[in-house]
């Protein structure tokens, strides 16, 4: 019993946390709760009016059961015959009015809750998306994009179902209370007998709700996997086609989809079963009650009139419908716990997924960027091992080294995509972590190895993230420097041409030039180029380098490149091997030395 209360309290606490996180103020439920309460009273009134209505009809038939209990009946008995029909229609009108108003109130209260639900969905979607924007790169590296999209879309909808079903639960809860109270007024003894079935219904419902909760965990997991797989397959369609693996992929998708179907079917089996088991238990109870009533009537000791008996059964029927509806709501709410838990886990633990922000605004680079004994590991394996380098202010530093030696990892530490696991990075003499991330990143332009392009127009991709308006002249100028101008002018929609998913409609070299144009337009203090020209032909690469050299003059530039042509102009070279700096110095010095640089670059005829 204690465990059950504890579990119930946990569920209530979880709903409370979810309401808070979704930004819905509890006071917003006041309107719908009041409407629900009034609707329940109107339900009681409308059914209760059946008693006088029947009595009026039965007085006409001169039934021996006329002398009845209620004062209203006594009043009806005193009325003259000709006024009876007015009373009859008045009561009928009240009954109809009560039903009509009740339904209007229920509709309006449903509408209020639907509005709250949609607002909560919208607020949660935005919060989750903002949460993703604050995620550190390592959190993304570990996540599956399909899982992340699933959380922000279908799981939000499932979780917000708690508002609708919670509201319905309250409505039917009020109704069954009103039914119960009126049933007690009509006959507390019969009400007591009716209660025989309550424990059975409760036990059946509890069992079903637990099973639903358990099955939904499987369902959401299966759905997440399905979405993640779909995302993966759609992103790698060219690979699937070139390896003609369509049949295997189709089988895999079908088997995952089958798992989702099975778990959903298992949930629905329980949801659909719940009302029927309740109805069977209720039918049994009604049979018992009818037997009791018939027995009382046959013995001639009936304390109630026929109309009251009939109304009692109508109330009992409505009561059982309300109990069934409450049960269905509980079952539906059980489905929401799993997605609610996932959303809460994500939104309440933002710090665990994001990089801690610093307080000092970064106003610009005033001195060198210093790495002191910096180490880094993604997981267990050390990728950078006690790296000490200085990227001089307003100079160009080139990083070179074999593939997988940690070059990209090293430069990703500067805009704090990752934080070092050991050592410090200093900017203007202060540790990097002390700076406000936004202001820091605004002063750094990174052209990454895998070019990132949005599925928008060329213009939007180039001016991306700029807060000030960019004139057409400035845009043309930077595009010309990136050797992209002629290409853009040859397109039918020029700057407004859509580039497709991940820039699929552009060639590798065009994408790289677009990314360079974007960085040049940003005009930051620090430029970081990670093999930014690797897809270009030699001639274009040399031309772009000349432009980039010109536009980045007086800026701090860090460049990762394999080609000799790119690094020749660098003021300093840093050779990175297996996460360690093995050599650094000027090009002319390193070329003369019989060291790692010479060995590494001997393949490119440096002589
Ligand atoms: N997100 C990640 N999670 C785990 N390991 C990673 C991650 N990114 C890179 N690595 C590993 O870290 C090592 C260094 O990778 P990095 O990308 O820094 O190399 P690189 O020198 O830039 O290589 P390349 O010249 O091929 O671009 C590699 O062994 C790689 O497998
Ligand atoms: Mg790299």
């Amino acid at each position: 019993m204690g465990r059950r209360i504890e579990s119930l309290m946990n569920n209530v606490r979880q709903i409370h946390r979810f309401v808070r996180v979704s930004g819905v103020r509890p006071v917003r439920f006041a309107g719908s709760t009041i409407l629900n309460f009034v609707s329940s009273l109107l339900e009681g009134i409308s059914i209760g009016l059946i008693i006088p209505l029947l009595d009026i009809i039965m007085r006409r038939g001169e039934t021996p059961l006329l002398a009845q209990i209620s004062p209203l009946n006594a009043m009806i008995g005193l009325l003259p015959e000709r006024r009876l029909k007015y009373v009859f229609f008045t009561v009928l009108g009240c009954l109809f009015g009560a039903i009509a108003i009740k339904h209007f109130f229920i509709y309006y209260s449903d509408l209020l809750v639907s509005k709250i639900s949609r607002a909560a969905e919208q607020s949660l979607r935005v919060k989750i998306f903002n949460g993703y924007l604050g995620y550190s790169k390592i959190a993304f590296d570990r996540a599956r994009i399909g899982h992340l999209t699933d959380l922000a879309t279908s799981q939000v909808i499932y979780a917000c179902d708690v508002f609708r079903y919670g509201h319905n639960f309250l409505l039917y809860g009020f109704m069954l209370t009103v039914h119960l109270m009126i049933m007690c007024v009509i006959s507390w003894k019969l009400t007591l007998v009716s209660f025989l079935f309550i424990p059975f219904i409760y036990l059946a419902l509890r069992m079903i709700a637990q099973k639903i909760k358990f099955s939904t965990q499987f369902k959401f997991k299966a759905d997440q996997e399905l979405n993640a797989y779909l995302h993966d397959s759609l992103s790698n369609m060219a690979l699937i086609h070139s390896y003609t693996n369509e049949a295997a992929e189709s089988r895999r998708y079908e088997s995952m989809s089958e798992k989702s179907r099975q778990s959903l079917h298992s949930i629905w089996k329980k949801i659909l079963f719940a009302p029927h088991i309740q109805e069977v238990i209720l039918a049994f109870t009604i049979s018992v009650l009818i037997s009791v009533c018939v027995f009382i009537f046959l013995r001639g000791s009936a304390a109630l009139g026929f109309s009251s008996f009939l109304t009692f059964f109508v109330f009992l029927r409505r009561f059982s419908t309300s109990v069934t509806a409450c049960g269905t709501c509980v079952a539906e709410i059980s489905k929401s716990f799993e997605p609610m838990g996932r959303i809460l886990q994500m939104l309440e633990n933002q710090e665990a997924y994001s990089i801690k922000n610093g307080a000092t605004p970064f106003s610009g680079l005033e001195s060198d960027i210093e790495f002191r004994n910096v180490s880094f590991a993604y997981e267990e394996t050390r990728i950078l091992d006690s790296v000490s380098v200085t990227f001089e202010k307003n100079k160009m530093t080139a990083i070179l080294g074999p593939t997988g030696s940690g070059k990209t990892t090293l430069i990703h530490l500067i805009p704090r995509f990752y934080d070092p696991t050991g050592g410090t990075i200093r900017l203007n003499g202060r540790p990097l972590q002390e700076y406000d991330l936004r202001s820091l990143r605004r002063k750094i332009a990174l052209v990454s190895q895998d070019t990132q392009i949005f599925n928008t127009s060329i213009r939007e991709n180039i001016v991306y993230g700029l807060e000030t308006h960019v004139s057409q002249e400035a845009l043309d100028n930077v595009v010309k420097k990136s050797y992209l101008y002629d290409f853009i002018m040859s397109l039918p929609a020029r700057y407004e041409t859509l580039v497709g998913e991940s820039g699929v409609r552009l060639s590798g070299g065009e994408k790289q030039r677009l990314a360079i144009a974007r960085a040049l337009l940003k005009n930051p203090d620090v430029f970081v180029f990670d093999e930014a020209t690797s897809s270009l032909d030699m001639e274009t690469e040399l031309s772009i380098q000349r432009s980039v050299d010109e536009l980045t003059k007086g800026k701090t530039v860090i460049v990762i490149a394999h080609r000799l042509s790119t690094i020749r102009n660098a003021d300093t070279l840093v050779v990175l091997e297996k996460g360690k700096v093995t050599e650094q110095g000027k090009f002319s010095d390193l070329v003369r030395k019989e060291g790692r640089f010479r060995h590494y670059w001997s393949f490119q005829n440096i002589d």
Side-chain angles (χ1 to χ4, degrees):
M1 190 67 179
R3 267 210 351 254
R4 250 170 251 146
I5 291 175
E6 178 63 26
S7 147
L8 185 71
M9 288 314 294
N10 280 344
N11 288 345
V12 172
R13 274 196 286 269
Q14 181 162 338
I15 294 176
H16 181 250
R17 274 161 58 208
F18 185 70
V19 171
R20 209 186 50 222
V21 160
S22 60
V24 175
R25 281 180 297 124
V27 70
R28 286 194 68 190
F29 291 102
S32 62
T33 309
I34 293 169
L35 286 175
N36 280 351
F37 182 70
V38 177
S39 307
S40 318
L41 294 180
L42 288 169
E43 155 102 354
I45 292 169
S46 64
I47 302 175
L49 286 175
I50 295 174
I51 300 180
L53 217 53
L54 283 177
D55 282 342
I56 295 166
I57 297 165
M58 283 188 293
R59 173 173 149 162
R60 287 255 166 104
E62 291 185 347
T63 154
L65 294 165
L66 188 64
Q68 296 302 338
I69 44 150
S70 72
L72 199 63
N73 277 9
M75 244 170 62
I76 291 164
L78 296 174
L79 282 170
E81 184 72 20
R82 64 188 170 78
R83 301 203 55 187
L84 213 53
K85 76 171 180 224
Y86 297 115
V87 178
F88 177 81
F89 284 114
T90 310
V91 175
L92 197 63
C94 289
L95 192 148
F96 171 77
I99 291 176
I101 297 171
K102 177 189 87 175
H103 280 284
F104 176 74
F105 279 6
I106 292 179
Y107 161 74
Y108 199 72
S109 120
D110 282 349
L111 209 63
L112 284 179
V113 172
S114 168
K115 205 171 154 194
I116 295 173
S117 281
R118 301 294 85 77
E121 278 171 18
Q122 129 87 353
S123 145
L124 284 169
R125 272 195 299 266
V126 172
K127 278 189 182 171
I128 292 175
F129 184 71
N130 288 343
Y132 290 158
L133 291 178
Y135 263 27
S136 67
K137 193 167 181 314
I138 211 145
F140 277 114
D141 293 349
R142 287 175 187 163
R144 292 189 71 177
I145 299 299
H147 288 185
L148 302 183
T149 49
D150 187 54
L151 188 74
T153 50
S154 53
Q155 304 238 5
V156 164
I157 294 171
Y158 281 124
C160 287
D161 274 349
V162 75
F163 295 117
R164 174 151 70 106
Y165 290 107
H167 152 82
N168 283 355
F169 181 80
L170 206 65
L171 172 68
Y172 292 112
F174 280 146
M175 286 215 177
L176 68 86
T177 312
V178 169
H179 297 146
L180 200 65
M181 278 159 56
I182 300 179
M183 278 159 67
C184 282
V185 169
I186 296 175
S187 164
W188 65 267
K189 284 182 193 153
L190 281 183
T191 310
L192 218 58
V193 179
S194 326
F195 262 64
L196 281 178
F197 74 103
I198 295 278
F200 297 108
I201 289 185
Y202 169 74
L203 286 177
L205 281 182
R206 201 168 61 85
M207 208 173 71
I208 291 167
Q210 268 172 357
K211 291 206 162 157
I212 287 174
K213 203 171 165 184
F214 189 62
S215 307
T216 41
Q217 288 171 1
F218 281 105
K219 174 176 161 35
F220 289 125
K221 202 156 173 40
D223 275 1
Q224 266 199 339
E225 291 305 316
L226 194 67
N227 280 343
Y229 179 73
L230 187 65
H231 180 273
D232 237 16
S233 308
L234 294 178
S235 315
N236 292 306
M237 203 46 90
L239 184 71
I240 295 173
H241 286 166
S242 63
Y243 281 78
T244 56
N245 208 26
E246 291 89 342
E249 294 292 342
S250 169
R251 277 196 302 277
R252 208 169 141 204
Y253 187 76
E254 194 178 337
S255 113
M256 293 173 96
S257 172
E258 172 60 18
K259 266 194 206 156
S260 169
R261 184 199 67 78
Q262 277 175 5
S263 44
L264 191 59
H265 179 62
S266 150
I267 294 169
W268 273 106
K269 250 178 18 195
K270 285 150 202 153
I271 288 185
L272 294 176
F273 183 63
H276 298 294
I277 185 77
Q278 280 176 238
E279 288 293 318
V280 170
I281 297 170
L282 181 75
F284 176 74
T285 317
I286 290 183
S287 311
V288 172
L289 282 177
I290 290 177
S291 311
V292 172
C293 296
V294 168
F295 180 71
I296 294 171
F297 274 119
L298 284 181
R299 285 182 55 198
S301 59
L304 291 181
F306 184 68
S307 52
S308 300
F309 265 122
L310 210 64
T311 312
F312 183 87
F313 281 113
V314 174
F315 269 117
L316 184 61
R317 188 74 199 82
R318 299 293 293 169
F319 174 74
S320 73
T321 309
S322 301
V323 173
T324 308
C326 279
T328 309
C329 292
V330 171
E332 290 290 345
I333 291 171
S334 308
K335 273 189 359 194
S336 298
F337 278 105
E338 179 66 18
M340 268 197 289
R342 284 170 194 253
I343 292 169
L344 286 172
Q345 152 75 16
M346 187 252 163
L347 292 180
E348 290 182 341
N349 297 290
Q350 280 287 308
E351 300 92 65
Y353 299 106
S354 45
I355 289 241
K356 200 162 169 269
N357 201 6
T360 315
F362 183 71
S363 49
L365 195 66
E366 286 156 17
S367 61
D368 304 338
I369 303 171
E370 293 174 69
F371 277 56
R372 289 287 160 262
N373 302 317
V374 169
S375 301
F376 180 77
Y378 287 105
E379 271 144 27
E380 302 291 300
T381 325
R382 242 185 202 203
I383 304 296
L384 297 177
D385 191 0
S386 218
V387 171
S388 293
V389 279
T390 301
F391 299 103
E392 287 176 81
K393 183 176 179 244
N394 300 345
K395 295 271 169 70
M396 177 175 165
T397 308
I399 306 172
L400 42 134
T403 177
S405 57
K407 304 179 296 292
T408 301
T409 307
L410 181 86
I411 53 117
H412 277 175
L413 300 182
I414 302 172
R416 285 191 71 203
F417 288 167
Y418 308 106
D419 275 339
T421 41
T424 48
I425 303 171
R426 285 178 181 276
L427 246 64
N428 302 345
R430 269 174 187 266
L432 203 56
Q433 282 86 342
E434 288 186 10
Y435 290 110
D436 165 59
L437 264 181
R438 259 180 72 79
S439 60
L440 173 75
R441 288 177 178 169
R442 294 207 79 79
K443 298 285 178 190
I444 303 167
L446 169 69
V447 180
S448 44
Q449 200 168 7
D450 47 341
T451 317
Q452 287 167 332
I453 307 266
F454 284 107
N455 186 6
T456 52
S457 67
I458 290 182
R459 181 191 300 276
E460 281 174 85
N461 267 292
I462 299 177
V463 301
Y464 183 74
L466 295 181
E467 281 174 347
T468 49
H469 172 73
V470 179
S471 68
Q472 188 59 44
E473 199 187 344
L475 188 61
D476 285 345
N477 182 38
V478 95
V479 161
K480 278 178 190 158
K481 300 278 186 202
S482 313
Y483 289 83
L484 210 54
Y485 188 75
D486 291 344
F487 163 70
I488 294 174
M489 291 304 125
S490 72
L491 296 170
R494 301 191 170 179
Y495 279 106
E496 312 316 322
T497 309
L498 297 175
V499 297
E501 198 75 37
S502 308
V504 72
R505 290 185 209 149
L506 303 178
S507 77
E510 284 155 4
K511 279 195 262 190
Q512 283 198 330
R513 281 177 283 162
L514 193 149
I516 290 171
R518 178 159 62 201
L520 293 176
L521 205 58
K522 187 174 178 182
N523 193 26
D525 287 8
V526 184
F527 282 96
V528 184
F529 295 104
D530 188 355
E531 299 189 32
T533 50
S534 58
S535 301
L536 305 181
D537 62 82
M538 289 282 197
E539 196 186 340
T540 315
E541 188 182 20
L542 281 173
S543 313
I544 287 197
Q545 261 162 26
R546 274 195 292 274
S547 315
V548 169
D549 287 348
E550 182 195 319
L551 288 172
T552 59
K553 216 170 225 120
K555 304 274 179 179
T556 309
V557 182
I558 301 169
V559 81
I560 298 176
H562 288 292
R563 289 197 202 164
L564 180 64
S565 52
T566 316
I567 54 161
R568 209 164 203 150
N569 299 334
D571 298 291
T572 313
L573 302 184
V574 175
V575 182
L576 197 68
E577 286 180 301
K578 291 187 182 155
K580 282 180 190 281
V581 176
T582 48
E583 244 175 342
Q584 55 181 314
K586 285 192 188 319
F587 181 83
S588 50
D589 297 340
L590 295 184
V591 163
R592 260 182 262 120
K593 255 174 47 184
E594 281 296 322
R596 297 301 301 160
F597 174 75
R598 200 177 162 85
H599 163 78
Y600 189 53
W601 293 94
S602 59
F603 307 104
Q604 293 197 38
N605 288 330
I606 43 179
D607 300 325

